[in-house]
Amino acid sequence: MVSSMKNGSGEVVDERGKFFAFYSLRERETIMADNGFNVIEVEEMTEVRENESGEKEIVWIVSFARAIAKELAVTSRSTPHMTA
């Protein structure tokens, strides 16, 4: 999986009502690992955007990860039985 998000801290709702949550690089790694992903690489990339008030730097956290396969245990309770 490849994902990216803006680096930062806190939460904000913009003027359009869109919710944003910001995380640090280490928080992002921890969240991914805690949710079943083997983190291959996490890095920060800087993008420069121009707007009416000038240039703005945005730091992105880009993550490369692989889902960890979970083995499903099949027990006699979870296996349906047919009766004749």
Side-chain angles (χ1 to χ4, degrees), residues 3-76:
S3 66
S4 62
M5 63 178 14
K6 289 181 183 178
N7 188 21
S9 62
E11 299 175 344
V12 66
V13 177
D14 72 7
E15 64 279 353
R16 296 170 292 171
K18 191 173 180 181
F19 173 80
F20 294 90
F22 302 96
Y23 299 94
S24 71
L25 187 128
R26 295 293 164 233
E27 287 174 309
R28 180 67 175 156
E29 281 184 304
T30 301
I31 289 168
M32 292 182 74
D34 289 349
N35 286 282
F37 289 92
N38 178 21
V39 180
I40 299 165
E41 185 178 347
V42 178
E43 62 182 63
E44 292 181 342
M45 300 177 80
T46 302
E47 173 188 2
V48 178
R49 289 189 184 174
E50 289 188 35
N51 58 26
E52 300 84 33
S53 59
E55 290 186 347
K56 177 181 178 183
E57 281 193 0
I58 300 171
V59 179
W60 292 93
I61 299 172
V62 182
S63 307
F64 301 89
R66 178 173 287 131
I68 298 171
K70 294 183 181 182
E71 293 182 17
L72 300 175
V74 178
T75 64
S76 59

